[in-house]
C-alpha cells in the first residue's frame, strides 16, 4: 500500500546465536495509531530498536526478512543514514526516563540541546513551544529544574517534548505510561492522542496493558516470544480474539477481573529465545494444545474478512471442518 510508513515483513533479529525476533510482520500507515502488546520479554523493545536503527547498540542484527520505511530498505541503512531519520522522521519515547534524560542537566537545557542537534532555528522560543505542546508551563523555574525534581508525569511530558523536537511523522512510545499512577497515565494517554491528531503523526504504542492499547489505537499486533501471533483491528481483536494467547491476555486484564475474587493470570511463563519449544511457542501454556502444535510453527494467516490475522492451528481445524460441512 502506498500510504505505509513502515512495513516489517517476516523479520527475524538475532543477538549472537539467539533469535530474539522471528516472523514479525507489521505495518504502520501514515497518521495511524497501532498498538504492540505482549508480556515482558516478548520482544517489544527489541522491535523498537529495529525501528529506530539501534540494534547494533546491543549487538543485534536483522537476520531475515525486510524492514521498509516509505518504501526504502531501512533494514540496510547505515548509522549515517539513520541519523537523517532517527528523531526527525521516527522518534522514540523510550521505556525508561533514565535512558532518555540526563540527570545532571536541567530539563530546559536538554530540550535546547536536542533542538540544536536538529539545527532548529529560534531555539529558546521552540523550547517554550515544545514544553507548552506537552502542557508544561515553560517558566524559567521549570526550565532550570533537574529531572529528579520533576514528578513522573512531568518527566514523561519532557520525554514526549524531546521526541517531538525533530518534528517526526512517527512516534514510537515504548511503555510510555507504565510507571505512572492511573490518573497521570490517563492524562498522558490523552496528550499523546491529541498530539497525534494535531500533528498528523502516526503512533506505535507499545504496552503490556490492553487498556492503554484500547484507548490509543485502531489496530494492534500481539507479540509472544518474539513473534506476532495475532494482528488486526483493535476493537475486533479485543471483542473476538483469534489466538489462545490473546484470549489469555484479555482474561488477565485487571479491569475485566474487578468483579472476580482474584486476577486470572496466564499460567506458566514465556520461554526465553534460547529455550523455545519446537512447533508453536505458546504450546507449553496453551489450554487448547493438540498433536499438531509440537510438529510445526503455525503461520500468521487471515482468519476472517477484516484484515484479522492469527497464527494458530485451531483455525486450520475450523477451516477444514467448514470444508467438510461444505462437502456434505
Ligand atoms: N541486550 C540484550 N542482549 C541479549 N538479549 C536481550 C537483550 N535485550 C533484550 N534481550 C532479550 O530479548 C528478548 C526480548 O526483550 P525485550 O526487551 O524486547 O522485551 P519486552 O517485550 O520489551 O519486555 P518488557 O515488557 O519487559 O519491556 C528477551 O528474551 C530479552 O531477554
Ligand atoms: S497452535 Fe496449538 S498450541 Fe499454538 S496457540 Fe494454537 S492451539 Fe495453542
Ligand atoms: Mg520493553
Amino acid at each position: 500500500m502506498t500510504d505505509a510508513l513502515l512495513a516489517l515483513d517476516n523479520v527475524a533479529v538475532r543477538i549472537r546465536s539467539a533469535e530474539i525476533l522471528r516472523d514479525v510482520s507489521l505495518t504502520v500507515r501514515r497518521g495511524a495509531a497501532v498498538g504492540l502488546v505482549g508480556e515482558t520479554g516478548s520482544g517489544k523493545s527489541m522491535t523498537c530498536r529495529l525501528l529506530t536503527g539501534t540494534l547494533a547498540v546491543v549487538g543485534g542484527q536483522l537476520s531475515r526478512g525486510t524492514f521498509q520505511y516509505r518504501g526504502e530498505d531501512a533494514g540496510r541503512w547505515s548509522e549515517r543514514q539513520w541519523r537523517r531519520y532517527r528523531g526527525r522522521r521516527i522518534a522514540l519515547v523510550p521505556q525508561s526516563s533514565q535512558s532518555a534524560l540526563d540527570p545532571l542537566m536541567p530539563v530546559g537545557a536538554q530540550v535546547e540541546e536536542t533542538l540544536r542537534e536538529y539545527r532548529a532555528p529560534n531555539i529558546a522560543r521552540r523550547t517554550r513551544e515544545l514544553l507548552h505542546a506537552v502542557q508544561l508551563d515553560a517558566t524559567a523555574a521549570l526550565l532550570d529544574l533537574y529531572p529528579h525534581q520533576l514528578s513522573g508525569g512531568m518527566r514523561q511530558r519532557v520525554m514526549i517534548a524531546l521526541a517531538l523536537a525533530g518534528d517526526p511523522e512517527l512516534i514510537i512510545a515504548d511503555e510510555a505510561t507504565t510507571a505512572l499512577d492511573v490518573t497521570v497515565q490517563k492524562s498522558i494517554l490523552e496528550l499523546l492522542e491529541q498530539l497525534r491528531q494535531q500533528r498528523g503523526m502516526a503512533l506505535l504504542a507499545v504496552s503490556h496493558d490492553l487498556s492503554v492499547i484500547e484507548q490509543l489505537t485502531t489496530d494492534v499486533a500481539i507479540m509472544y516470544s518474539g513473534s506476532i501471533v495475532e494482528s488486526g483491528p483493535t476493537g475486533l481483536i479485543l471483542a473476538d480474539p483469534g489466538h489462545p494467547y490473546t484470549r489469555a491476555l484479555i482474561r488477565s486484564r485487571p479491569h475485566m477481573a474487578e468483579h472476580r475474587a482474584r486476577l486470572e493470570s496466564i499460567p506458566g511463563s514465556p520461554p526465553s529465545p534460547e529455550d523455545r519449544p519446537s512447533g508453536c511457542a505458546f504450546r507449553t501454556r496453551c489450554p487448547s494444545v493438540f498433536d499438531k502444535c509440537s510438529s510445526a510453527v503455525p503461520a500468521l494467516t487471515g482468519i476472517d474478512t477484516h484484515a484479522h490475522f492469527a497464527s494458530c492451528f485451531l483455525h486450520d481445524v475450523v477451516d477444514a471442518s467448514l470444508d467438510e460441512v461444505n462437502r456434505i
Side-chain angles (χ1 to χ4, degrees):
M1 292 281 282
T2 49
D3 66 345
L5 266 189
L6 72 83
L8 298 179
D9 187 23
N10 270 312
V11 156
V13 163
R14 283 186 168 276
I15 296 183
R16 293 175 291 280
S17 61
E19 194 161 67
I20 307 285
L21 301 182
R22 56 174 194 169
D23 309 328
V24 176
S25 296
L26 180 74
T27 301
V28 178
R29 299 184 202 290
R30 277 176 217 172
V34 176
L36 183 62
V37 184
E39 284 168 291
T40 185
S42 56
K44 305 182 297 294
S45 293
M46 204 55 78
T47 306
C48 297
R49 280 199 174 279
L50 169 68
L51 298 177
T52 50
T54 57
L55 280 179
V57 176
V58 290
Q61 57 176 12
L62 182 76
S63 54
R64 200 171 56 241
T66 56
F67 164 22
Q68 295 204 318
Y69 194 80
R70 286 179 168 274
E72 288 186 46
D73 193 359
R76 290 174 188 271
W77 282 346
S78 62
E79 174 55 23
R80 193 152 158 252
Q81 283 170 298
W82 265 110
R83 273 189 229 124
R84 293 212 304 268
Y85 285 83
R86 196 185 299 122
R88 297 169 193 270
R89 295 287 188 87
I90 310 172
L92 176 73
V93 182
Q95 186 160 359
S96 140
S97 61
Q98 275 165 0
S99 61
L101 299 178
D102 182 342
L104 303 176
M105 195 190 275
V107 291
Q110 297 197 42
V111 178
E112 286 177 8
E113 189 178 81
T114 305
L115 286 166
R116 221 168 278 124
E117 266 172 45
Y118 298 136
R119 298 201 165 85
N122 304 318
I123 285 186
R125 200 188 74 212
R126 280 283 290 147
T127 297
R128 286 194 302 276
E129 283 171 1
L130 280 175
L131 292 172
H132 183 68
V134 296
Q135 295 161 5
L136 285 173
D137 197 3
T139 57
L142 177 99
L143 296 175
D144 285 343
L145 291 179
Y146 288 84
H148 76 270
Q149 295 173 303
L150 302 180
S151 68
M154 288 169 88
R155 264 200 305 274
Q156 203 59 32
R157 285 171 196 274
V158 173
M159 298 223 292
I160 295 171
L162 291 175
L164 293 176
D167 206 11
E169 57 189 353
L170 168 67
I171 287 228
I172 301 174
D174 190 359
E175 304 277 7
T177 58
T178 300
L180 306 172
D181 71 46
V182 177
T183 324
V184 182
Q185 172 169 327
K186 188 165 178 291
S187 67
I188 297 287
L189 295 178
E190 283 165 2
L191 172 67
L192 278 171
E193 177 55 11
Q194 187 186 325
L195 290 167
R196 186 184 72 77
Q197 288 189 13
Q198 279 170 355
R199 295 173 174 240
M201 297 182 302
L203 172 72
L204 179 65
V206 176
S207 183
H208 63 271
D209 183 343
L210 284 171
S211 306
V212 169
I213 297 303
E214 185 172 32
Q215 187 172 339
L216 279 185
T217 70
T218 53
D219 292 273
V220 66
I222 313 287
M223 193 164 227
Y224 184 76
S225 188
S227 301
I228 304 293
V229 295
E230 180 160 6
S231 64
T234 308
L236 176 68
I237 287 182
L238 293 183
D240 188 17
H243 194 283
Y245 177 59
T246 314
R247 276 198 281 279
L249 275 184
I250 291 171
R251 274 201 304 273
S252 68
R253 281 176 85 174
H255 85 261
M256 297 285 286
E258 261 167 20
H259 303 296
R260 294 182 193 164
R262 73 186 175 86
L263 194 84
E264 209 175 306
S265 65
I266 308 175
S269 51
S272 71
E274 294 88 357
D275 210 17
R276 276 190 201 106
S278 61
C280 175
F282 189 54
R283 74 177 166 84
T284 50
R285 306 170 75 193
C286 181
S288 312
V289 63
F290 61 110
D291 295 352
K292 190 177 177 182
C293 307
S294 57
S295 60
V297 179
L300 197 64
T301 47
I303 59 168
D304 57 32
T305 55
H306 303 287
H308 181 188
F309 300 84
S311 59
C312 171
F313 291 130
L314 285 175
H315 292 286
D316 296 353
V317 175
V318 172
D319 292 348
S321 61
L322 285 177
D323 283 352
E324 200 65 25
V325 171
N326 290 338
R327 275 201 293 277
I328 295 166

